[in-house]
Amino acid sequence: MAQQHETVAVPGHAGIDIGGTKISALIVDDAGEIRSRGSVPAPAREGGTAMADAAAALAAALAARAGVRLRSAGVGAAGVIDHASGSIRAASATFVGWTGFPLGAELSARLGVPVGVENDVNAFLLGEAAAAGIRDDVLGVMLGTGVGGAVIIDGELRRGPHGAAGEIGHTPGYSDLVCTCGQIGHLETLASGTSIGLRYTERSGRDVGGSREVAALARDGDADARAAFHAAGRALGRACASAATLLDLPRAIVGGGVAHAWELLRPGIDEALHTDAPVSGIPLHILPARLGGDAVALGAIETARSLVLTAAS
Ligand SMILES: [Zn+2]
């Protein structure tokens, strides 16, 4: 009796965001309407098979709950992605057994639909660009635990021959501090959530956590906390200006957890745009992301839908 009201399933797509601590997914129908969303802890230390199992089970459960029959699924995953095969080319040590894992094929076998795999920062930018109606050129920067980047040129993601284009977080010249990658002075040493916490500790002698805690102190007027955000914003602004100068980019979209403290980053960004503006004289607009936690999954769906369209044509 309880099932009597069940309606016929509508066609739709799953977007899956695979991170080091959490797997999030959402289901959209063919009109692009979000029908359901949810997340589960990521079994990142248990290997690729466990991750694929968890991601597929989440997507299937959400689709069933939403009454959606999946036509495709898209995944945004951390690491360097081999876009053609959907496998992971390289990944951080957080992900055990992830490098070389054929994620696309494994998920496709579990879900029974075509699966597109994209680097998570690329997926973030695809999602944000679609939401903003941008069809030409844009830089994307994600300020999270680390700093990731992505570039869309002429409406197309620029992945690079090795899938590693856009790694703005590991460009040098911003400090004399050691980066998570072992090199010196990268943007990430000032602008990641982790780094903002560390830089605050160096200034104040107090360890309060990451960027979220430092942001709360900054809003309460703590000068060291404000200085840590100012340095992050200034480095971010300079990095965006460098990329814009090189590629004639009119805008950058900045997301990730740190971007929630936009009003704290903004003064440093503005200072950098004043002192280091692109010499072209064309204004560079640096904007906060608007999709929040949905950006990666929605961008992954863009990849998945194009896969279905390609197969149909
Ligand atoms: Zn680095």
Side-chain angles (χ1 to χ4, degrees), residues 237-238 240-249 272-284:
R238 290 179 62 211
C240 291
S242 290
T245 301
L246 198 60
L247 298 169
D248 188 15
L249 299 172
L273 287 180
H274 184 69
T275 57
D276 301 292
V279 291
S280 63
I282 298 160
L284 167 63

PDB file of all heavy atoms in Angstrom, residues 237-238 240-249 272-284:
ATOM      1  N   GLY A 237      45.120  37.717  -5.265  1.00  0.00           N
ATOM      2  CA  GLY A 237      44.933  38.755  -6.278  1.00  0.00           C
ATOM      3  C   GLY A 237      46.097  38.815  -7.255  1.00  0.00           C
ATOM      4  O   GLY A 237      45.908  38.938  -8.471  1.00  0.00           O
ATOM      5  N   ARG A 238      47.313  38.693  -6.721  1.00  0.00           N
ATOM      6  CA  ARG A 238      48.499  38.719  -7.599  1.00  0.00           C
ATOM      7  C   ARG A 238      48.514  37.501  -8.518  1.00  0.00           C
ATOM      8  O   ARG A 238      48.869  37.607  -9.688  1.00  0.00           O
ATOM      9  CB  ARG A 238      49.768  38.777  -6.752  1.00  0.00           C
ATOM     10  CG  ARG A 238      49.953  40.116  -6.038  1.00  0.00           C
ATOM     11  CD  ARG A 238      51.219  40.107  -5.185  1.00  0.00           C
ATOM     12  NE  ARG A 238      52.401  39.911  -6.007  1.00  0.00           N
ATOM     13  CZ  ARG A 238      53.514  39.288  -5.585  1.00  0.00           C
ATOM     14  NH1 ARG A 238      53.587  38.813  -4.357  1.00  0.00           N
ATOM     15  NH2 ARG A 238      54.553  39.168  -6.384  1.00  0.00           N
ATOM     16  N   CYS A 240      45.942  35.754  -9.577  1.00  0.00           N
ATOM     17  CA  CYS A 240      44.904  35.937 -10.607  1.00  0.00           C
ATOM     18  C   CYS A 240      45.366  36.939 -11.660  1.00  0.00           C
ATOM     19  O   CYS A 240      45.130  36.753 -12.861  1.00  0.00           O
ATOM     20  CB  CYS A 240      43.597  36.411  -9.976  1.00  0.00           C
ATOM     21  SG  CYS A 240      42.776  35.179  -8.957  1.00  0.00           S
ATOM     22  N   ALA A 241      46.047  38.004 -11.212  1.00  0.00           N
ATOM     23  CA  ALA A 241      46.529  39.014 -12.154  1.00  0.00           C
ATOM     24  C   ALA A 241      47.589  38.429 -13.090  1.00  0.00           C
ATOM     25  O   ALA A 241      47.625  38.747 -14.285  1.00  0.00           O
ATOM     26  CB  ALA A 241      47.095  40.216 -11.388  1.00  0.00           C
ATOM     27  N   SER A 242      48.450  37.558 -12.552  1.00  0.00           N
ATOM     28  CA  SER A 242      49.464  36.908 -13.404  1.00  0.00           C
ATOM     29  C   SER A 242      48.796  36.060 -14.470  1.00  0.00           C
ATOM     30  O   SER A 242      49.155  36.128 -15.658  1.00  0.00           O
ATOM     31  CB  SER A 242      50.377  36.010 -12.561  1.00  0.00           C
ATOM     32  OG  SER A 242      51.207  36.780 -11.745  1.00  0.00           O
ATOM     33  N   ALA A 243      47.828  35.236 -14.044  1.00  0.00           N
ATOM     34  CA  ALA A 243      47.128  34.361 -14.995  1.00  0.00           C
ATOM     35  C   ALA A 243      46.382  35.193 -16.031  1.00  0.00           C
ATOM     36  O   ALA A 243      46.394  34.885 -17.229  1.00  0.00           O
ATOM     37  CB  ALA A 243      46.167  33.446 -14.255  1.00  0.00           C
ATOM     38  N   ALA A 244      45.755  36.281 -15.574  1.00  0.00           N
ATOM     39  CA  ALA A 244      44.974  37.130 -16.479  1.00  0.00           C
ATOM     40  C   ALA A 244      45.885  37.819 -17.483  1.00  0.00           C
ATOM     41  O   ALA A 244      45.541  37.977 -18.659  1.00  0.00           O
ATOM     42  CB  ALA A 244      44.185  38.159 -15.686  1.00  0.00           C
ATOM     43  N   THR A 245      47.071  38.220 -17.020  1.00  0.00           N
ATOM     44  CA  THR A 245      48.036  38.875 -17.908  1.00  0.00           C
ATOM     45  C   THR A 245      48.507  37.902 -18.990  1.00  0.00           C
ATOM     46  O   THR A 245      48.614  38.242 -20.164  1.00  0.00           O
ATOM     47  CB  THR A 245      49.240  39.389 -17.094  1.00  0.00           C
ATOM     48  OG1 THR A 245      48.758  40.299 -16.106  1.00  0.00           O
ATOM     49  CG2 THR A 245      50.254  40.085 -17.982  1.00  0.00           C
ATOM     50  N   LEU A 246      48.779  36.676 -18.562  1.00  0.00           N
ATOM     51  CA  LEU A 246      49.293  35.672 -19.501  1.00  0.00           C
ATOM     52  C   LEU A 246      48.261  35.268 -20.538  1.00  0.00           C
ATOM     53  O   LEU A 246      48.584  35.071 -21.700  1.00  0.00           O
ATOM     54  CB  LEU A 246      49.721  34.439 -18.684  1.00  0.00           C
ATOM     55  CG  LEU A 246      50.659  33.448 -19.344  1.00  0.00           C
ATOM     56  CD1 LEU A 246      51.975  34.124 -19.724  1.00  0.00           C
ATOM     57  CD2 LEU A 246      50.928  32.292 -18.376  1.00  0.00           C
ATOM     58  N   LEU A 247      47.007  35.129 -20.118  1.00  0.00           N
ATOM     59  CA  LEU A 247      45.986  34.518 -20.978  1.00  0.00           C
ATOM     60  C   LEU A 247      44.861  35.466 -21.382  1.00  0.00           C
ATOM     61  O   LEU A 247      43.907  35.047 -22.026  1.00  0.00           O
ATOM     62  CB  LEU A 247      45.375  33.298 -20.249  1.00  0.00           C
ATOM     63  CG  LEU A 247      46.365  32.176 -19.937  1.00  0.00           C
ATOM     64  CD1 LEU A 247      45.743  31.152 -18.998  1.00  0.00           C
ATOM     65  CD2 LEU A 247      46.835  31.507 -21.218  1.00  0.00           C
ATOM     66  N   ASP A 248      44.970  36.747 -21.007  1.00  0.00           N
ATOM     67  CA  ASP A 248      43.931  37.733 -21.323  1.00  0.00           C
ATOM     68  C   ASP A 248      42.574  37.282 -20.766  1.00  0.00           C
ATOM     69  O   ASP A 248      41.580  37.221 -21.489  1.00  0.00           O
ATOM     70  CB  ASP A 248      43.858  37.962 -22.839  1.00  0.00           C
ATOM     71  CG  ASP A 248      42.933  39.106 -23.207  1.00  0.00           C
ATOM     72  OD1 ASP A 248      42.578  39.905 -22.309  1.00  0.00           O
ATOM     73  OD2 ASP A 248      42.559  39.209 -24.389  1.00  0.00           O
ATOM     74  N   LEU A 249      42.580  36.930 -19.477  1.00  0.00           N
ATOM     75  CA  LEU A 249      41.345  36.478 -18.833  1.00  0.00           C
ATOM     76  C   LEU A 249      40.634  37.667 -18.198  1.00  0.00           C
ATOM     77  O   LEU A 249      41.249  38.417 -17.447  1.00  0.00           O
ATOM     78  CB  LEU A 249      41.653  35.451 -17.739  1.00  0.00           C
ATOM     79  CG  LEU A 249      42.347  34.169 -18.190  1.00  0.00           C
ATOM     80  CD1 LEU A 249      42.771  33.345 -16.969  1.00  0.00           C
ATOM     81  CD2 LEU A 249      41.427  33.352 -19.086  1.00  0.00           C
ATOM     82  N   ALA A 272      46.007  44.166  -4.406  1.00  0.00           N
ATOM     83  CA  ALA A 272      46.796  43.540  -5.474  1.00  0.00           C
ATOM     84  C   ALA A 272      46.331  44.009  -6.850  1.00  0.00           C
ATOM     85  O   ALA A 272      47.150  44.255  -7.740  1.00  0.00           O
ATOM     86  CB  ALA A 272      46.701  42.020  -5.368  1.00  0.00           C
ATOM     87  N   LEU A 273      45.017  44.142  -7.019  1.00  0.00           N
ATOM     88  CA  LEU A 273      44.506  44.596  -8.320  1.00  0.00           C
ATOM     89  C   LEU A 273      44.889  46.049  -8.593  1.00  0.00           C
ATOM     90  O   LEU A 273      44.962  46.476  -9.746  1.00  0.00           O
ATOM     91  CB  LEU A 273      42.987  44.425  -8.378  1.00  0.00           C
ATOM     92  CG  LEU A 273      42.495  42.984  -8.515  1.00  0.00           C
ATOM     93  CD1 LEU A 273      40.980  42.930  -8.554  1.00  0.00           C
ATOM     94  CD2 LEU A 273      43.080  42.330  -9.769  1.00  0.00           C
ATOM     95  N   HIS A 274      45.145  46.807  -7.517  1.00  0.00           N
ATOM     96  CA  HIS A 274      45.578  48.190  -7.671  1.00  0.00           C
ATOM     97  C   HIS A 274      47.062  48.254  -8.038  1.00  0.00           C
ATOM     98  O   HIS A 274      47.456  48.989  -8.949  1.00  0.00           O
ATOM     99  CB  HIS A 274      45.306  48.954  -6.371  1.00  0.00           C
ATOM    100  CG  HIS A 274      45.622  50.409  -6.463  1.00  0.00           C
ATOM    101  ND1 HIS A 274      44.877  51.280  -7.236  1.00  0.00           N
ATOM    102  CD2 HIS A 274      46.612  51.135  -5.902  1.00  0.00           C
ATOM    103  CE1 HIS A 274      45.400  52.484  -7.146  1.00  0.00           C
ATOM    104  NE2 HIS A 274      46.454  52.426  -6.343  1.00  0.00           N
ATOM    105  N   THR A 275      47.890  47.469  -7.323  1.00  0.00           N
ATOM    106  CA  THR A 275      49.344  47.559  -7.525  1.00  0.00           C
ATOM    107  C   THR A 275      49.835  46.678  -8.674  1.00  0.00           C
ATOM    108  O   THR A 275      50.864  46.964  -9.272  1.00  0.00           O
ATOM    109  CB  THR A 275      50.112  47.137  -6.251  1.00  0.00           C
ATOM    110  OG1 THR A 275      49.716  45.802  -5.887  1.00  0.00           O
ATOM    111  CG2 THR A 275      49.806  48.061  -5.092  1.00  0.00           C
ATOM    112  N   ASP A 276      49.126  45.567  -8.945  1.00  0.00           N
ATOM    113  CA  ASP A 276      49.604  44.582  -9.929  1.00  0.00           C
ATOM    114  C   ASP A 276      48.553  44.284 -10.988  1.00  0.00           C
ATOM    115  O   ASP A 276      48.430  43.143 -11.434  1.00  0.00           O
ATOM    116  CB  ASP A 276      50.003  43.277  -9.223  1.00  0.00           C
ATOM    117  CG  ASP A 276      51.090  43.492  -8.192  1.00  0.00           C
ATOM    118  OD1 ASP A 276      52.210  43.815  -8.602  1.00  0.00           O
ATOM    119  OD2 ASP A 276      50.815  43.373  -6.982  1.00  0.00           O
ATOM    120  N   ALA A 277      47.787  45.254 -11.384  1.00  0.00           N
ATOM    121  CA  ALA A 277      46.731  45.024 -12.378  1.00  0.00           C
ATOM    122  C   ALA A 277      47.352  44.583 -13.704  1.00  0.00           C
ATOM    123  O   ALA A 277      48.474  44.977 -14.031  1.00  0.00           O
ATOM    124  CB  ALA A 277      45.940  46.305 -12.588  1.00  0.00           C
ATOM    125  N   PRO A 278      46.631  43.765 -14.485  1.00  0.00           N
ATOM    126  CA  PRO A 278      47.131  43.369 -15.805  1.00  0.00           C
ATOM    127  C   PRO A 278      47.462  44.610 -16.640  1.00  0.00           C
ATOM    128  O   PRO A 278      46.680  45.563 -16.675  1.00  0.00           O
ATOM    129  CB  PRO A 278      45.961  42.588 -16.415  1.00  0.00           C
ATOM    130  CG  PRO A 278      45.203  42.060 -15.241  1.00  0.00           C
ATOM    131  CD  PRO A 278      45.344  43.117 -14.176  1.00  0.00           C
ATOM    132  N   VAL A 279      48.636  44.601 -17.284  1.00  0.00           N
ATOM    133  CA  VAL A 279      49.082  45.788 -18.030  1.00  0.00           C
ATOM    134  C   VAL A 279      48.217  46.075 -19.256  1.00  0.00           C
ATOM    135  O   VAL A 279      48.304  47.153 -19.841  1.00  0.00           O
ATOM    136  CB  VAL A 279      50.558  45.672 -18.479  1.00  0.00           C
ATOM    137  CG1 VAL A 279      51.474  45.749 -17.281  1.00  0.00           C
ATOM    138  CG2 VAL A 279      50.791  44.393 -19.279  1.00  0.00           C
ATOM    139  N   SER A 280      47.396  45.109 -19.643  1.00  0.00           N
ATOM    140  CA  SER A 280      46.483  45.337 -20.767  1.00  0.00           C
ATOM    141  C   SER A 280      45.541  46.501 -20.478  1.00  0.00           C
ATOM    142  O   SER A 280      45.001  47.106 -21.400  1.00  0.00           O
ATOM    143  CB  SER A 280      45.655  44.077 -21.023  1.00  0.00           C
ATOM    144  OG  SER A 280      44.853  43.790 -19.884  1.00  0.00           O
ATOM    145  N   GLY A 281      45.362  46.793 -19.168  1.00  0.00           N
ATOM    146  CA  GLY A 281      44.415  47.841 -18.795  1.00  0.00           C
ATOM    147  C   GLY A 281      42.984  47.355 -18.778  1.00  0.00           C
ATOM    148  O   GLY A 281      42.071  48.083 -18.378  1.00  0.00           O
ATOM    149  N   ILE A 282      42.780  46.109 -19.192  1.00  0.00           N
ATOM    150  CA  ILE A 282      41.423  45.544 -19.164  1.00  0.00           C
ATOM    151  C   ILE A 282      41.126  45.102 -17.733  1.00  0.00           C
ATOM    152  O   ILE A 282      41.914  44.372 -17.140  1.00  0.00           O
ATOM    153  CB  ILE A 282      41.323  44.339 -20.138  1.00  0.00           C
ATOM    154  CG1 ILE A 282      41.602  44.815 -21.565  1.00  0.00           C
ATOM    155  CG2 ILE A 282      39.961  43.657 -20.034  1.00  0.00           C
ATOM    156  CD1 ILE A 282      42.008  43.716 -22.510  1.00  0.00           C
ATOM    157  N   PRO A 283      40.027  45.578 -17.166  1.00  0.00           N
ATOM    158  CA  PRO A 283      39.766  45.270 -15.762  1.00  0.00           C
ATOM    159  C   PRO A 283      39.619  43.761 -15.525  1.00  0.00           C
ATOM    160  O   PRO A 283      38.982  43.066 -16.313  1.00  0.00           O
ATOM    161  CB  PRO A 283      38.445  45.979 -15.460  1.00  0.00           C
ATOM    162  CG  PRO A 283      38.100  46.770 -16.654  1.00  0.00           C
ATOM    163  CD  PRO A 283      38.976  46.354 -17.789  1.00  0.00           C
ATOM    164  N   LEU A 284      40.242  43.287 -14.459  1.00  0.00           N
ATOM    165  CA  LEU A 284      40.100  41.890 -14.052  1.00  0.00           C
ATOM    166  C   LEU A 284      39.085  41.832 -12.916  1.00  0.00           C
ATOM    167  O   LEU A 284      39.240  42.511 -11.904  1.00  0.00           O
ATOM    168  CB  LEU A 284      41.457  41.352 -13.583  1.00  0.00           C
ATOM    169  CG  LEU A 284      41.429  40.009 -12.847  1.00  0.00           C
ATOM    170  CD1 LEU A 284      40.908  38.901 -13.755  1.00  0.00           C
ATOM    171  CD2 LEU A 284      42.827  39.668 -12.331  1.00  0.00           C
TER     172      LEU A 284
END
